[in-house]
Amino acid sequence: VQLVESGGGSVQTGGFLRLSCTISGYGSSTYCVGWFRQAPGKDREGVAAIDSDGTPGYARSVKDRFSISKDYEKDTVYLQMNSLKPEDTAMYYCAAGRRTCTTSAYDYTYWGQGTQVTVS
């Protein structure tokens, strides 16, 4: 399974971005897909996850601002990020796994290379 993120960039506080994670490989549609982020000097943080049936889950820190969705035809998972804050600045990664579908990195086997989000 391969994952490729896109959509990162630089925005002002209060702005928005939509990240995309395109997934390929055998059985990729059956995986849970999660979004994680890591800022310099900080631990990796789970942001959101979406199960193969479309059930979403969010970290408390982003629940009212971020939205995760999945386009089954395009094998792409999106992370819509609204009302962005400087503390959202980080490298964002998507990941796929077949354990329980949570925002814990333990649930994920395959990882993308990341896309940078900078909020100023």
Side-chain angles (χ1 to χ4, degrees):
V1 175
Q2 295 82 41
L3 303 100
V4 178
E5 304 95 335
S6 62
S10 297
V11 297
Q12 294 185 337
T13 298
F16 63 91
L17 283 173
R18 188 178 77 161
L19 305 184
S20 299
C21 173
T22 302
I23 309 150
S24 61
Y26 179 78
S28 58
S29 64
T30 65
Y31 283 78
C32 165
V33 177
W35 282 99
F36 294 79
R37 64 186 181 185
Q38 189 165 20
K42 294 189 176 181
D43 292 337
R44 181 171 49 191
E45 175 190 15
V47 174
I50 188 164
D51 212 338
S52 56
D53 65 357
T55 302
Y58 300 95
R60 288 183 180 180
S61 59
V62 304
K63 188 173 184 178
D64 295 328
R65 300 184 296 121
F66 291 10
S67 177
I68 190 169
S69 61
K70 185 174 182 179
D71 186 325
Y72 289 91
E73 289 188 0
K74 296 182 179 179
D75 287 333
T76 299
V77 172
Y78 301 101
L79 184 68
Q80 178 69 41
M81 307 187 296
N82 299 325
S83 303
L84 283 163
K85 306 175 181 180
E87 51 263 44
D88 294 317
T89 295
M91 184 70 80
Y92 283 70
Y93 301 88
C94 65
R98 281 180 169 165
R99 298 177 185 268
T100 54
C101 194
T102 71
T103 52
S104 168
Y106 177 74
D107 288 342
Y108 299 88
T109 305
Y110 303 100
W111 293 81
Q113 294 299 308
T115 186
Q116 178 68 38
V117 172
T118 303
V119 186
S120 60

